[in-house]
């Protein structure tokens, strides 16, 4: 009888050691940490934008439409509650991505305004803020890449055998990843023209 109990305990231990529960938990925490870093970089960007807009407004009041779009995009970003639960809600995650894409688009237009007005580029404050903004955009990209990799590792862990059995039993599903709104549009190389026509 005692031998059977020991054999049963050994079998249960062997089954549990290969179920992937701990690895899925480790991978889930990796996704959460990577997502926190993405939010951290978006927060840094959202804090920096008002300073950039205020500086630009002093030099390019006639480009009010661009500045208004940046301000509206920043307000839209601030209106979305960025919580860890956001990555588990596909609709909210898609809305979050859309708002962040609008922010990136508005900032790109703002940088074009800077290129068109040499007196704006010459201002030391603007140059400093522009450098910070460019650095922030790079940080956002790095944070997104780390999140994408963490989601990839997590999704592999919940979709491969035998971990997928544990994931199904616990109700864990693959997590949503960053996507591009219009993949076809970004597949074409941008046309660079230096003529004034």
């Amino acid at each position: 009888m005692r031998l059977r109990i020991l054999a049963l305990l050994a079998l249960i231990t062997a089954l549990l050691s290969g179920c992937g529960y701990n690895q899925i938990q480790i991978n889930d925490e990796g996704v959460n940490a990577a997502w926190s870093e993405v939010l951290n970089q978006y927060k840094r960007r959202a804090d920096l934008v008002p300073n950039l807009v205020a500086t630009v407004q002093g030099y390019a009041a006639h480009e009010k439409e661009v500045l208004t779009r940046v301000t509206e995009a920043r307000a839209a970003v601030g209106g979305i509650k960025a919580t860890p639960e956001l990555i588990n809600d596909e609709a909210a995650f898609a809305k979050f991505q859309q708002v962040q894409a609008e922010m990136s688009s508005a900032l790109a237009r703002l940088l074009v305004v800077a290129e068109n007005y040499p007196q704006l580029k010459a201002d030391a404050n603007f140059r400093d803020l522009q450098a910070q903004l460019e650095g922030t955009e790079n940080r956002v990209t790095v944070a997104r890449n780390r999140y994408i990799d963490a989601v990839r590792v997590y999704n592999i862990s919940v979709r491969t055998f035998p971990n997928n059995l544990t994931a199904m039993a616990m109700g864990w599903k693959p997590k949503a990843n960053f996507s591009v709104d219009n993949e076809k549009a970004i597949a074409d190389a941008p046309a660079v023209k230096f003529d004034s026509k």
Side-chain angles (χ1 to χ4, degrees), residues 15-31:
L15 289 174
L16 289 177
S17 67
C19 74
Y21 180 85
N22 288 335
Q23 190 59 51
I24 294 172
Q25 294 300 310
I26 291 167
N27 295 343
D28 188 48
E29 285 303 314
V31 169

Side-chain angles (χ1 to χ4, degrees), residues 28-173:
D28 188 48
E29 285 303 314
V31 169
N32 292 337
W35 180 245
S36 293
E37 182 57 23
V38 169
L39 294 178
N40 180 41
Q41 294 307 325
Y42 279 144
K43 172 76 170 116
R44 182 178 188 274
R45 179 172 77 172
D47 290 345
L48 179 63
V49 167
N51 294 325
L52 179 60
V53 169
T55 301
V56 173
Q57 280 176 332
Y59 286 91
H62 52 287
E63 289 294 334
K64 192 171 186 169
E65 179 185 347
V66 172
L67 298 172
T68 301
R69 284 188 179 172
V70 171
T71 304
E72 288 170 353
R74 197 246 183 229
V77 166
I80 292 184
K81 297 255 187 210
T83 63
E85 291 78 27
L86 181 69
I87 58 177
N88 294 322
D89 181 352
E90 288 186 38
F93 188 74
K95 176 69 175 163
F96 180 82
Q97 283 186 255
Q98 177 188 2
V99 170
Q100 291 298 338
E102 289 169 7
M103 178 73 151
S104 295
S105 176
L107 292 174
R109 285 190 297 276
L110 182 61
L111 293 176
V112 168
V113 169
E115 292 298 320
N116 290 331
Y117 297 97
Q119 72 275 17
L120 181 61
K121 290 193 304 186
D123 180 72
N125 288 332
F126 180 78
R127 283 185 311 211
D128 291 345
L129 286 167
Q130 185 178 17
Q132 289 180 25
L133 182 59
E134 289 168 355
T136 298
E137 290 301 310
N138 289 337
R139 288 182 177 129
V140 166
T141 300
V142 168
R144 280 189 206 150
N145 287 339
R146 289 181 180 156
Y147 174 77
I148 288 166
D149 190 53
V151 168
R152 179 189 60 79
V153 170
Y154 173 83
N155 287 349
I156 288 171
S157 71
V158 298
R159 294 178 67 201
T160 56
F161 184 80
N163 294 3
N164 65 338
L165 300 175
T166 302
M168 283 190 295
M170 301 301 286
W172 297 325
K173 296 179 180 166

